[in-house]
Amino acid sequence: MQALMASFVAHLRFEKNYSPHTVESYSRDLDQFLRHLTGGRTDREIKPSDLDHITIREFLSRLSQAGNRKVTIARKLSVLRSFFRYLYREGHLDQNPAKLVRTPRQPLRTPRFLSLPEVESILSLPPAKTVKGIRDRAILELLYASGLRVGELVGLNLIDLSMNRRLVRVRGKGNKERVVPFGEPSRASLAAYLEARRRILAKRRDRPQTPALFLNLRGGRLSARSVQRNLGAYIRQAALLLDVHPHLFRHSFATHLLNNGADLRSIQELLGHESLSTTQRYTHVSIEHLQKVYRDAHPKA
């Protein structure tokens, strides 16, 4: 079983082009499932034909008893479904036992988002006179202007950016490409950053040139963790009572578009969602917004 799991992970990495973070997450979930099957014994060999839907349900029940949330259990079941689908397709199973296991019912969660004043307040936090501040302002402006995932943003290369047309080419999940526009405020911040980027590279001539758009101060590609850490530092410095993470800009981008009349299909395309149902969760936020407007404006609300 361990060899088949390794083969599946290689399939995700090299054929499906999943991100390193996603591949690592799948590997951890599969390792946990294998430890459940073997009881932690390394000398016990498990064959795919030994497993059925009851085995999978027992694993999910164990997760629930251990205090895992429903969303976590659903994610691990999704990994197992992908794995067993792969085994069935490759001829290691006569049928897919995971098809008989239902996903735990999930509570309806609406994405949290920032108001426009909150967005503007956060965008003003990075200092305008330091290289780091100029870079971070450009990052925050682009996150809000384009709705990019932070992993997509740090994966951008200089060649992906078209300043004249105000477009950026993005490689999303599964290495799928899309082109996303950005506005004039973001273009101005990016123009200032590109000059600062040249200064970073000029000071680090000992390092090989990198194609990355966003650089750390050592001249290498900036990491998603650094973006998260820097944003948190600004929030603490300004003493803002906000729990803000980079993905919140993506939620705000989609919600503000929807509240201002954009259609769901266009938002789906901009966000790079494979399924429209993923984008539809923002309609719940929009309905809440409309209800608030109604309550505030109607004399008999």
Side-chain angles (χ1 to χ4, degrees), residues 53-106:
H53 65 283
I54 296 176
T55 311
I56 299 172
R57 285 176 179 162
E58 288 174 347
F59 173 62
L60 300 183
S61 176
R62 178 75 63 85
L63 292 174
S64 180
Q65 292 168 11
N68 287 271
R69 294 184 303 159
K70 287 185 177 181
V71 64
T72 302
I73 296 172
R75 191 201 74 233
K76 293 178 186 291
L77 175 57
S78 176
V79 170
L80 293 180
R81 281 178 173 155
S82 296
F83 175 57
F84 282 106
R85 189 163 54 243
Y86 169 80
L87 294 182
Y88 175 71
R89 191 172 61 245
E90 296 295 312
H92 299 289
L93 287 171
D94 294 330
Q95 57 184 1
N96 180 356
K99 290 180 69 174
L100 300 176
V101 182
R102 294 178 60 183
T103 302
R105 184 179 296 276
Q106 301 295 305

Side-chain angles (χ1 to χ4, degrees), residues 138 140-143 145-146 163 182-191:
L140 296 178
E141 286 277 10
L142 187 58
L143 282 174
S146 61
M163 293 290 283
F182 54 86
E184 177 56 30
S186 183
R187 191 207 65 79
S189 293
L190 283 166

Side-chain angles (χ1 to χ4, degrees), residues 114-223:
L114 299 165
S115 67
L116 185 56
E118 286 174 332
V119 170
E120 291 174 339
S121 175
I122 294 170
L123 293 179
S124 68
L125 294 177
K129 295 184 178 179
T130 68
V131 168
K132 181 176 182 297
I134 292 170
R135 180 202 65 191
D136 292 348
R137 173 66 180 265
I139 285 172
L140 296 178
E141 286 277 10
L142 187 58
L143 282 174
Y144 176 61
S146 61
L148 300 186
R149 302 175 179 94
V150 67
E152 294 171 343
L153 179 130
V154 298
L156 292 175
N157 292 326
L158 202 57
I159 197 172
D160 297 322
L161 187 66
S162 173
M163 293 290 283
N164 292 335
R165 301 175 64 195
R166 293 193 311 204
L167 296 172
V168 62
R169 183 179 60 192
V170 185
R171 282 168 292 279
K173 290 186 176 181
N175 216 27
K176 293 180 179 177
E177 286 193 1
R178 67 185 190 278
V179 175
V180 182
F182 54 86
E184 177 56 30
S186 183
R187 191 207 65 79
S189 293
L190 283 166
Y193 164 67
L194 291 177
E195 177 57 36
R197 183 183 183 277
R198 283 189 282 271
R199 299 208 299 271
I200 294 173
L201 292 176
K203 291 181 179 179
R204 305 297 302 185
R205 290 179 181 169
D206 55 317
R207 290 182 64 94
Q209 293 288 306
T210 173
L213 173 59
F214 290 108
L215 306 179
N216 57 41
L217 299 183
R218 298 182 303 278
R221 186 182 293 274
L222 190 68
S223 70

